[in-house]
Amino acid sequence: MGQLQLRAEVMTLQTRHPFVIARGGHDQIRTVQVTLQDSDGVEGWGEAAPQAYYGETPETVLAALTTYATALPDDPFDLEHAERVLVETLDGNASARAALSAALHDLVGKRLGVPLWKLWGLAPMEAPLSTFTIGIDTVDRIRLKVQEASAYPILKVKVGTDRDHEILSTIRQETDREIRVDANCGWSRKAALQMLPVLAEFGVTVLEQPLHPDDLEGLSDVTANSPIPVLVDESCMTTRDIPQLAGRADGINIKLAKCGSLREARRMISVARAHHLQVMIGCMIESSIGITAAAHLTPLVDFVDLDGAALLANDPFVGATIKAGQIRLPEGPGLGVHPR
Ligand code: MG
């Protein structure tokens, strides 16, 4: 198989609508496509979805990848060791490492001629239904988005604004579908406690990241008073964050761009289970490469939020698809992603 060659290319992804959450929004997202090619010409693909909130940009990803290129494994099947060496070579840079992790797993699956989910012994149809996200917007555009999302049985609504009641009331007027909310750290403890009856009024079933990531005492208070599960996202990056969340939250949202590896994501699922926490697998806005890598974890979790590629107007790839909320994993080897 010989020395792996690494290529990286910035992709500019266009969302169908400007995508706004509690801390701002965009309609163009830049991610980095990563290719690892072995000496037989077999390619593994991955995608880095850097987040400014976590101090990453496409430029920091490209810079990190030039360092990681010097630390690639001679044998891509040696996955545990390969990922450990990447962290030891350069810590942080989770989205760049996640792209390499996906590319290595894709390459291994392709060399063996089996889909990654089969290699992992998973049954794709066991995955829970995925939500579709409604970003923060005007009342008229929220109505339009809810209509456009008619194929999705569960909506994830971005809140954390001073007009959350209006947002929820607008959506409830349009649909009786299940609603989950994500405040993206946008509430104070007092605001969160005041919102709990409002969430009940509109039949919301899950509350994600109500408070600032460091406010664990506030989180305990909100969770203790909440009749619905409270999940954390920004408060939980890797396995190490999980023990302190036990008893303070009901669950965690795992994303490859935060934890830096498919294998770390699987460890997080196990550790969360050991602490009686529920698990969501989420995503950034990314193409079907990144979404398909994350989708391989769906048979192992309780909640799925993998609409990142569905929000795009120009996804260059085809991989995991979502039909009526049900994720379908590709039958092809590795990640099973191909160009559109
Ligand atoms: Mg979130």
Side-chain angles (χ1 to χ4, degrees):
M1 287 170 271
Q3 186 62 50
L4 295 175
Q5 297 295 322
L6 188 159
R7 295 197 309 275
E9 186 185 346
V10 175
M11 293 193 283
T12 300
L13 304 173
Q14 188 77 38
T15 55
R16 291 177 198 277
H17 299 287
F19 187 76
V20 183
I21 67 168
R23 53 178 169 265
H26 318 268
D27 61 357
Q28 275 198 345
I29 310 285
R30 291 190 308 148
T31 66
V32 180
Q33 185 193 353
V34 171
T35 304
L36 291 176
Q37 187 180 56
D38 70 15
S39 55
D40 296 328
V42 180
E43 289 187 353
W45 291 354
E47 180 176 12
Q51 302 299 304
Y53 180 75
Y54 297 120
E56 295 185 32
T57 64
E59 289 68 36
T60 68
V61 169
L62 294 174
L65 288 170
T66 59
T67 302
Y68 292 135
T70 65
L72 295 173
D74 292 328
D75 177 3
F77 284 84
D78 196 3
L79 288 160
E80 279 294 323
H81 181 70
E83 292 196 350
R84 195 163 62 242
V85 168
L86 291 178
V87 173
E88 287 165 5
T89 301
L90 180 63
D91 202 359
N93 297 282
S95 73
R97 284 186 291 110
L100 290 169
S101 172
L104 286 167
H105 284 81
D106 187 32
L107 183 60
V108 162
K110 284 173 177 164
R111 291 220 59 117
L112 294 173
V114 289
L116 180 59
W117 54 264
K118 196 168 269 191
L119 197 57
W120 279 353
L122 300 177
M125 290 309 279
E126 284 178 9
L129 298 179
S130 177
T131 42
F132 185 85
T133 302
I134 307 290
I136 295 167
D137 218 323
T138 63
V139 164
D140 285 345
R141 290 181 68 96
I142 285 176
R143 283 207 184 94
L144 180 70
K145 286 177 176 179
V146 172
Q147 287 160 12
E148 283 181 5
S150 60
Y152 290 81
I154 312 169
L155 300 176
K156 173 159 150 178
V157 178
K158 293 292 191 178
V159 292
T161 72
D162 53 9
R163 33 183 291 265
D164 292 339
H165 190 283
E166 179 191 52
I167 290 171
L168 289 169
S169 140
T170 301
I171 293 172
R172 204 29 109 210
Q173 281 164 22
E174 286 295 316
T175 182
D176 56 4
R177 276 173 277 166
E178 181 177 346
I179 296 175
R180 301 173 185 168
V181 296
D182 185 355
N184 286 107
C185 321
W187 292 338
S188 64
R189 188 196 306 202
K190 187 171 163 226
L193 292 170
Q194 285 172 345
M195 278 301 291
L196 291 176
V198 177
L199 302 184
E201 176 190 346
F202 294 110
V204 172
T205 58
V206 175
L207 167 59
E208 187 175 325
Q209 195 70 44
L211 310 179
H212 185 280
D214 296 336
D215 186 3
L216 296 183
E217 200 188 306
L219 177 66
S220 298
D221 195 10
V222 174
T223 301
N225 283 287
S226 175
I228 57 172
V230 178
L231 272 53
V232 290
D233 177 355
E234 287 88 339
S235 297
C236 185
M237 307 286 287
T238 70
T239 305
R240 282 181 200 165
D241 299 318
I242 296 174
Q244 67 177 354
L245 294 166
R248 293 188 160 119
D250 297 303
I252 61 168
N253 184 352
I254 298 173
K255 294 175 181 170
L256 296 177
K258 293 189 299 178
C259 74
S261 132
L262 288 166
R263 308 181 86 73
E264 174 66 3
R266 292 200 58 173
R267 284 189 289 272
M268 289 179 79
I269 294 170
S270 300
V271 172
R273 298 278 182 230
H275 287 87
H276 303 285
L277 292 166
Q278 293 185 287
V279 180
M280 174 184 287
I281 179 81
C283 62
M284 305 304 180
I285 295 179
E286 45 198 312
S287 83
S288 280
I289 298 179
I291 295 300
T292 305
H296 276 77
L297 299 157
T298 56
L300 298 169
V301 303
D302 309 295
F303 305 102
V304 174
D305 177 30
L306 289 181
D307 62 351
L311 296 167
L312 296 177
N314 66 338
D315 184 359
F317 301 99
V318 179
T321 56
I322 310 178
K323 290 255 159 54
Q326 182 67 55
I327 296 266
R328 307 211 176 168
L329 287 170
E331 293 289 333
L335 295 180
V337 174
H338 60 85
R340 186 168 293 276

